[in-house]
Amino acid sequence: MTDIFRELKARDLVALSTDEEALQQALNAGPVSFYIGFDPTAPSLHMGNLVQLLFARRLQLAGHNPYALVGGATGLIGDPRMSGERTLNERDVVEGWVEKIRAQIERFLDVDGPHAAQLVNNLDWTGEISTIDFLRDIGKHFSVNRMLAKETVAARLQSEHGISFTEFAYQILQGNDYLELYRRYGITLQHGGSDQWGNLTAGADLIRRVERTSVHAMATPLMTKADGTKFGKTESGTVWLDPELTSPYAFSQFWLNADDRDVMKFLKVFSFRSLEELEQIGEEFAAAPHKRIAQRALAEDVTTLVHGEQTTRQVFAAAKALFGSGELAALDPGTLGSATAELPGTQVPAAEVSAGMPVADAFAASGIVKSKGEARRAIKDGGAYVNNVKVSDGEQTITTDDVLDAGGHGVVLLRRGKKTLGALSVTR
């Protein structure tokens, strides 16, 4: 066993915990069975969930026994949010999301070996409880006064719409999960984000009241970004772990674009490099931040964890090729398609673009220049490129040979200078 608690503290991964000394002793003494829960409120996990998945992975690698709960029951209810009531999803939709999320979890936790992860569904026990039994056996141990004091509940009570009894009762359901997992599997530790602290301690308190014993809870800090924007969000929306919802290229770019003020913090949380190696990266990064060594390490590590080594190689090759350091035609069509999908110009309907279009018109249509006149000046100055080939003729047109296969559609890459990229979907 390693002193995993000290490791987690060194990585700034422990915001809150129950009796810290007792928890550290338990983790050092031998295998601890622990759990983390995920509610299927969407078809995929996202960046915030990844913090908890990797936290669980660290505990498993240290010799502890993970249980991953996918909330087939609590996912039908939804944890209260500050912004208001959730829309309840149909049962068959939630069931489908349960299976998708289970498959995602299995990519991060080892399901074989002496500390194999177990996946459980709280619908298996919650669905069997009658209303009377739930109120008598579980509900009587919860103080309404304490439930009202929970930050989210208190905020919702002050809002115009209040909070439904359904969402108010969520913390009882989650508390019962911990009690049931303690009874079935001997689980004595639950972890989650610090915004879940009220739910985490509710379960520990329920076990203390019912079973007359103490169990543990740990909470990670909420991830924040130095620029004030929400972690795990981009201009195009949430960063998902599902490649169909967030392409591997866009995923890697999220990390490559990490703020200099955030990148070392993110490396501690999301990378499995040793603290000694991270310290060395930090020193090199501080000496030459323009080289972005920390961002590259972060993007490579996390993209590999989520999407695998081969896909990571492909998206990094695409990033180089887009800026002229690689061969565009050699890229996998799907990778090229995802790499160009959010560039300026891709929103222009393909029907408005065709082979034979003047290059100056194409640059103007993409939006990377303000006008055809500006495009012509860029060509004259030697700063205009089509598929990384410099344009020298002001009368040059887009030809069918310029159209690259981008996985189901054609695309032409446009670049002004070294860094200003655009792309047009082209009718072939």
Side-chain angles (χ1 to χ4, degrees):
M1 303 296 294
T2 62
D3 192 344
I4 185 61
F5 191 84
R6 181 178 297 178
E7 167 91 2
L8 295 172
K9 292 274 283 188
R11 291 180 179 270
D12 299 324
L13 276 167
V14 181
L16 298 163
S17 73
T18 50
D19 189 330
E20 185 171 307
E21 183 178 350
L23 176 55
Q24 186 170 14
Q25 289 177 354
L27 290 170
N28 289 341
V32 169
S33 293
F34 67 94
Y35 93 97
I36 175 62
F38 301 98
D39 276 345
T41 54
S44 171
L45 298 176
H46 53 70
M47 291 308 312
N49 302 131
L50 186 60
V51 176
Q52 301 308 323
L53 280 171
L54 300 186
F55 190 97
R57 183 180 176 121
R58 293 184 196 280
L59 287 173
Q60 184 182 39
L61 290 173
H64 302 288
N65 306 318
Y67 287 75
L69 182 151
V70 183
T74 44
L76 292 168
I77 303 300
D79 194 10
R81 300 177 300 181
M82 291 287 191
S83 57
E85 289 281 320
R86 294 178 182 270
T87 300
L88 298 182
N89 295 299
E90 297 296 330
R91 290 177 179 270
D92 59 340
V93 171
V94 174
E95 289 174 4
W97 290 350
V98 166
E99 295 308 312
K100 288 184 176 182
I101 290 172
R102 284 173 63 96
Q104 286 184 324
I105 291 171
E106 289 178 347
R107 298 209 308 267
F108 295 92
L109 299 177
D110 186 0
V111 295
D112 298 307
H115 303 287
Q118 305 294 321
L119 274 68
V120 295
N121 185 341
N122 58 17
L123 188 61
D124 292 343
W125 54 83
T126 308
E128 299 174 352
I129 304 176
S130 71
T131 303
I132 294 299
D133 289 341
F134 180 72
L135 294 174
R136 283 178 56 87
D137 298 340
I138 307 301
K140 69 177 181 178
H141 297 290
F142 283 79
S143 163
V144 171
N145 293 28
R146 289 188 62 185
M147 293 173 69
L148 291 172
K150 184 182 176 185
E151 183 180 6
T152 306
V153 173
R156 289 278 295 279
L157 287 173
Q158 299 300 316
S159 71
E160 178 183 355
H161 302 291
I163 186 171
S164 68
F165 176 76
T166 298
E167 290 197 0
F168 178 66
Y170 180 92
Q171 56 189 294
I172 303 179
L173 293 175
Q174 186 167 326
N176 183 56
D177 286 343
Y178 200 171
L179 174 62
E180 192 66 32
L181 292 170
Y182 170 80
R183 287 172 168 171
R184 292 187 178 211
Y185 308 111
I187 290 174
T188 56
L189 169 64
Q190 181 186 183
H191 66 88
S194 58
D195 60 334
Q196 290 287 309
W197 186 243
N199 291 333
L200 300 179
T201 54
D205 187 59
L206 177 63
I207 292 172
R208 180 183 61 81
R209 291 172 179 271
V210 174
E211 300 293 336
R212 306 298 181 187
T213 190
S214 295
V215 293
H216 305 287
M218 295 176 70
T220 61
L222 289 183
M223 297 301 295
T224 57
K225 294 171 71 175
D227 63 5
T229 59
K230 190 172 182 180
F231 174 75
K233 295 280 188 178
T234 66
E235 291 183 2
S236 58
T238 300
V239 180
W240 302 98
L241 304 190
D242 186 334
E244 297 297 320
L245 299 178
T246 298
S247 73
Y249 181 84
F251 185 89
S252 67
Q253 289 296 306
F254 172 81
W255 300 106
L256 280 169
N257 292 326
D259 193 299
D260 287 355
R261 296 166 292 177
D262 293 325
V263 65
M264 292 310 302
K265 174 179 69 175
F266 290 167
L267 271 169
K268 282 185 177 181
V269 173
F270 293 100
S271 173
F272 281 82
R273 299 177 192 239
S274 69
L275 290 168
E276 292 75 18
E277 186 176 356
L278 293 183
E279 184 177 358
Q280 181 179 350
I281 290 174
E283 291 174 356
E284 294 179 20
F285 175 65
H290 63 281
K291 294 183 178 180
R292 302 183 70 77
I293 181 177
Q295 281 89 347
R296 288 202 305 274
L298 177 65
E300 289 175 1
D301 287 2
V302 187
T303 308
T304 299
L305 277 169
V306 175
H307 296 296
E309 292 183 7
Q310 181 178 353
T311 297
T312 301
R313 285 195 299 270
Q314 290 173 342
V315 298
F316 273 82
K320 289 182 179 180
L322 290 188
F323 291 96
S325 298
E327 181 56 52
L328 285 169
L331 294 179
D332 169 79
T335 302
L336 178 61
S338 63
T340 56
E342 296 184 25
L343 291 178
T346 52
Q347 295 77 24
V348 177
E352 297 181 11
V353 185
S354 63
M357 183 181 208
V359 169
D361 291 13
F363 269 75
S366 74
I368 62 174
V369 295
K370 295 180 180 179
S371 65
K372 297 177 185 178
E374 186 176 340
R376 293 189 188 98
R377 288 192 294 273
I379 294 171
K380 182 178 179 181
D381 294 339
Y385 298 81
V386 172
N387 295 338
N388 292 329
V389 178
K390 183 182 291 186
V391 179
S392 56
D393 183 356
E395 302 303 317
Q396 183 173 324
T397 61
I398 301 296
T399 71
T400 55
D401 290 340
D402 295 322
V403 183
L404 303 173
D405 183 0
H409 67 281
V411 70
V412 174
L413 180 70
L414 308 173
R415 175 160 55 91
R416 183 182 182 185
K418 293 183 178 180
K419 296 183 178 180
T420 306
L421 290 175
L424 290 176
S425 296
V426 181
T427 301
R428 307 181 78 172

